[in-house]
Amino acid sequence: MSVDVLSRETAPPPSASTLRLQFRRFRKNHLAMASVWLLALIVLGCFFGPYAFPFTGEDADFDFISAPAHFQWPHLFGTDEFGRDLLVRVLEGGQVSLTIGFLGALVAGVIGVLYGAVAGFVGGRADGLMMRAVEILYGFPYVILVILLSLLFGGGNLALFAAIVFTLWLTPAVIVRAQAQSLARREFIEAARAGGMTGRQIVLEHIVPNCMSVVIVYGSLLVPEVILSESFLSFLGIGIKEPQASWGNLISSGTSAMDSDLRLLLLPGVLLALVLLCLNFIADGLRDAFDPNDR
Amino acid sequence: MTLLESRNLGVGYRIPGTGLFSAARMLPIVHDLSLTLDPGRTLGVVGESGCGKSTLGRALLRLIVPSDGQVLWQGEDMATIPDLRRRRAEMQIIFQDPVAALDPRMTLAKIVSRPLATFEPNLSRKDARARAVQALEQVGLSADFADRFPHELSGGQAQRVGIARAIVGRPKLIICDEPVSALDVSIQAQVINLLMELQEKMGLALVFISHNLAVVRHISHDVMVMCLGRVVEQAPRSEFYARPLHPYSQALMDAVPEPDPRREKGRVGTALAGELPSVLNPPPGCVFASRCPKATDLCRQTRPELRTVAPGRQAACHFIEA
């Protein structure tokens, strides 16, 4: 055994981190990248578009009641039966729907990831209890929960938001818990313990970052899920209330007028469908880029 | 002064009971194990897969809480050391799978310097990084490795990073849990020699867990043979390799293949016959009785105690004459 251990090894030319490689792969996916740009356009349009108009979505213009889409300034897509500009209302409704979507997904995601990471890492009886609790909550009827929460919070957007988060953090928790469980058995976790790290440090510094690729993919699917449930609840009339607009209640009122004027349904419906499509394509691209089985 | 001592150490894992509501049972892995290790010495722990070597290594560091007995660190009971977390700088571990032992999301500098955040909290981030780079250089990796990720490394390089992480807090003991069994033979030699060199420079004590008798012979001062969670023989290295006393040790030695194929072909095989007894339902007698060529009814009924059979040598067998 005459191997010279002191012959110092030099590193190979630098390569990118896993995360950077994954994003590089994502950028090669044209459909996903187009979706990113289109989604960005819609988001910017919703948040800044209404400022281009001399009125808000709640201002009634009595000279134009139920005006058709004639693509002329200022009522490009016409007005509704109260004389409110349809395009501005849809854009403002988009603000509400998109905000609830992204914020809801973020909050539900953070809660779910932390809960799942702790359960999977701690294991044993605590894990059993935590996951049984999740299963019980899974069994809870969603719509009844929303009604209960609206009573509790006195209605309004907060109740809606709380109800959406309350039901949607469960799935990320289950997904992350499975991932955390397999990570907890890896040797680098043991090395971290030998290095004197506390359980909380291990969860935050090792478990959560290593669940990130799953979380990013799932998170991008969570956003459309939140938007859909907001729309669904608003459609049922227990979500966002008139006169405030959201894509859900716009579609709802559009549906009741669809026999005479399809445009009231089409504009919010098409925008919602576009956003959902974009988010699903993005999620798909992220999954292709991040899935470890694909490497 | 003794660095590490275990007294009648017992380790078990909790496994779920058979029924839905039955209580968890203890699956005993290590029984009644006593050892001492002096600073700067190497204890080789050998035994077949599943005999409890790795569990012992983790229990010695209290990464697994023992179910029985004590581990003393420099005379202090580990169970009562206040703030053991920070004292872990003195006792480190390296692992069998060198790549799995590194967090894939962290750079090597971060991996190696992270323990310092706990052990030396007053160290600035820059100094911690400098110490990490220094540790990487000590294990033969140049500074340009510092910002690399584990997936860019070979197995041997990854194991060196594991060693760098272990030595960065200036330990007195490193538990080496099969550190070379996942590596190529040529790389094994590099890692073993690196460990021996670090031992000499830093006065490290090593517990070297392996099933490779040749590697243990190269690195150890003393050898301990484990079978089914019990020590069956303990001896200084050269005496042990000159003449293993316990039939189990002899069987392990016999199982090593001969490098020369012609001689290997002519060798009389003494492969062990018989079943390994169940860990959940251990036999009352000697742990090796079911497979031992010399076993008698005495062996099957009465467990032989570990006793001194020659100066400095202990074995657990009824038939070894002192």
Side-chain angles (χ1 to χ4, degrees):
Chain A
M1 295 209 201
S2 58
V3 183
D4 181 10
V5 285
L6 276 184
S7 67
R8 191 152 293 161
E9 284 183 46
T10 45
S15 81
S17 76
T18 334
L19 207 64
R20 212 171 310 158
L21 279 174
Q22 287 164 337
F23 274 112
R24 199 174 297 164
R25 208 163 353 165
F26 179 77
R27 249 175 290 150
K28 283 198 193 124
N29 186 332
H30 298 302
L31 193 57
M33 281 313 286
S35 300
V36 169
W37 290 116
L38 181 58
L39 183 65
L41 193 73
I42 293 175
V43 170
L44 288 177
C46 284
F47 281 89
F48 298 107
Y51 293 111
F53 295 90
F55 40 76
T56 72
E58 289 173 23
D59 294 337
D61 191 339
F62 296 110
D63 298 334
F64 297 91
I65 297 232
S66 292
H70 46 50
F71 305 107
Q72 275 169 14
W73 188 260
H75 301 298
L76 296 179
F77 284 86
T79 57
D80 64 8
E81 71 269 33
F82 301 112
R84 298 177 296 194
D85 185 84
L86 182 62
L87 180 62
V88 174
R89 265 186 85 66
V90 168
L91 294 179
E92 285 178 358
Q95 288 178 14
V96 173
S97 290
L98 289 169
T99 307
I100 287 191
F102 282 95
L103 217 59
L106 186 74
V107 175
V110 168
I111 294 173
V113 166
L114 288 178
Y115 190 92
V118 169
F121 173 69
V122 174
R125 189 157 293 176
D127 173 45
L129 281 175
M130 286 172 85
M131 293 331 278
R132 291 306 82 73
V134 165
E135 278 154 27
I136 290 168
L137 292 178
Y138 256 131
F140 219 81
Y142 173 41
V143 177
I144 293 180
L145 185 75
V146 182
I147 295 169
L148 281 178
L149 280 172
S150 331
L151 284 174
L152 198 72
F153 286 96
N157 300 353
L158 190 62
L160 177 74
F161 187 75
I164 287 173
V165 168
F166 197 79
T167 45
L168 288 182
W169 68 272
L170 301 171
T171 309
V174 172
I175 291 174
V176 167
R177 180 248 185 186
Q179 182 89 351
Q181 222 174 10
S182 76
L183 284 169
R185 277 193 281 271
R186 296 269 290 277
E187 287 175 331
F188 69 82
I189 299 298
E190 209 156 18
R193 269 217 199 85
M197 285 171 80
T198 60
R200 176 200 298 243
Q201 288 170 336
I202 291 175
V203 166
L204 292 179
E205 292 180 41
H206 288 299
I207 305 275
V208 170
N210 276 288
C211 293
M212 253 10 239
S213 47
V214 190
V215 170
I216 289 176
V217 172
Y218 186 72
S220 55
L221 287 169
L222 201 57
V223 177
E225 211 174 325
V226 177
I227 294 182
L228 266 183
S229 47
E230 177 272 314
S231 301
F232 169 67
L233 292 172
S234 303
F235 182 85
L236 289 184
I238 46 180
I240 306 288
K241 305 265 190 325
E242 284 272 357
Q244 195 180 21
S246 85
W247 285 345
N249 64 23
L250 285 170
I251 290 171
S252 168
S253 54
T255 317
S256 47
M258 66 191 268
D259 294 331
S260 54
D261 195 353
L262 202 55
R263 134 197 93 89
L264 289 175
L265 173 63
L266 271 185
L267 190 61
V270 165
L271 264 183
L272 176 64
L274 272 180
V275 166
L276 297 185
L277 260 181
C278 284
L279 285 165
N280 277 300
F281 281 135
I282 292 170
D284 213 41
L286 285 172
R287 194 180 48 230
D288 284 349
F290 280 78
D291 195 345
N293 302 322
D294 214 33
R295 246 169 286 169
Chain B
M1 186 188 172
T2 307
L3 183 70
L4 179 75
E5 184 179 351
S6 82
R7 286 187 189 156
N8 309 102
L9 186 68
V11 194
Y13 291 115
R14 292 173 70 86
I15 53 168
T18 39
L20 184 57
F21 293 106
S22 53
R25 292 177 299 169
M26 254 331 203
L27 179 67
I29 305 292
V30 174
H31 303 264
D32 197 20
L33 193 143
S34 300
L35 61 80
T36 59
L37 181 66
D38 289 327
R41 303 280 289 180
T42 302
L43 174 67
V45 179
V46 294
E48 63 201 326
S49 322
C51 73
K53 309 183 295 280
S54 298
T55 304
L56 169 68
R58 283 156 175 75
L60 288 175
L61 293 187
R62 215 178 160 77
L63 293 172
I64 300 174
V65 177
S67 48
D68 218 352
Q70 302 175 290
V71 180
L72 305 182
W73 176 254
Q74 297 178 308
E76 260 182 286
D77 188 345
M78 284 253 233
T80 60
I81 291 182
D83 217 5
L84 177 66
R85 206 161 77 71
R86 292 188 204 285
R87 290 284 294 278
R88 289 195 176 280
E90 300 167 11
M91 45 187 120
Q92 282 295 308
I93 180 167
I94 59 176
F95 297 93
Q96 175 167 15
D97 183 342
V99 180
L102 309 177
D103 187 329
R105 291 250 178 251
M106 291 187 173
T107 63
L108 302 192
K110 175 81 185 148
I111 289 171
V112 175
S113 65
R114 180 60 185 83
L116 292 173
T118 308
F119 300 149
E120 296 169 42
N122 297 326
L123 211 62
S124 76
R125 211 172 264 203
K126 213 175 121 205
D127 290 346
R129 186 188 158 91
R131 282 272 293 279
V133 170
Q134 190 193 339
L136 284 172
E137 283 179 343
Q138 270 179 294
V139 298
L141 296 172
S142 68
D144 45 338
F145 272 100
D147 296 311
R148 299 308 161 81
F149 287 86
H151 69 97
E152 299 175 61
L153 303 179
S154 68
Q157 290 169 337
Q159 191 56 280
R160 288 163 187 240
V161 175
I163 296 172
R165 171 175 56 194
I167 63 171
V168 77
R170 302 186 178 126
K172 297 178 171 133
L173 165 74
I174 297 181
I175 307 268
C176 311
D177 182 15
E178 305 245 17
V180 297
S181 45
L183 304 177
D184 289 346
V185 177
S186 60
I187 308 294
Q188 288 189 0
Q190 286 182 15
V191 170
I192 296 291
N193 288 347
L194 171 66
L195 281 170
M196 291 174 76
E197 186 194 297
L198 290 171
Q199 173 169 47
E200 197 168 309
K201 275 194 205 152
M202 307 176 70
L204 283 171
L206 302 176
V207 173
F208 194 91
I209 297 165
S210 180
H211 55 248
N212 185 333
L213 286 165
V215 169
V216 170
R217 180 179 202 164
H218 187 69
I219 197 169
S220 305
H221 300 111
D222 297 288
V223 178
M224 190 170 100
V225 183
M226 282 179 75
C227 178
L228 226 71
R230 291 176 195 276
V231 180
V232 294
E233 182 166 1
Q234 201 165 9
R237 185 248 322 251
S238 28
E239 277 96 324
F240 176 80
Y241 280 92
R243 194 166 68 95
L245 292 179
H246 196 282
Y248 179 67
S249 317
Q250 291 162 359
L252 283 182
M253 292 277 213
D254 274 347
V256 177
E258 185 71 45
D260 180 347
R262 272 166 301 186
R263 281 168 65 190
E264 168 69 23
K265 219 173 167 185
R267 207 162 62 108
V268 189
T270 47
L272 286 177
E275 292 279 318
L276 198 70
S278 152
V279 185
L280 266 178
N281 190 14
C286 174
V287 284
F288 190 49
S290 63
R291 294 179 293 163
C292 182
K294 298 176 186 162
T296 63
D297 281 344
L298 174 68
C299 303
R300 281 182 275 271
Q301 262 130 46
T302 322
R303 175 169 300 130
E305 291 299 316
L306 192 65
R307 63 198 165 94
T308 306
V309 290
R313 300 195 68 165
Q314 292 181 303
C317 179
H318 292 302
F319 299 109
I320 298 170
E321 267 111 64

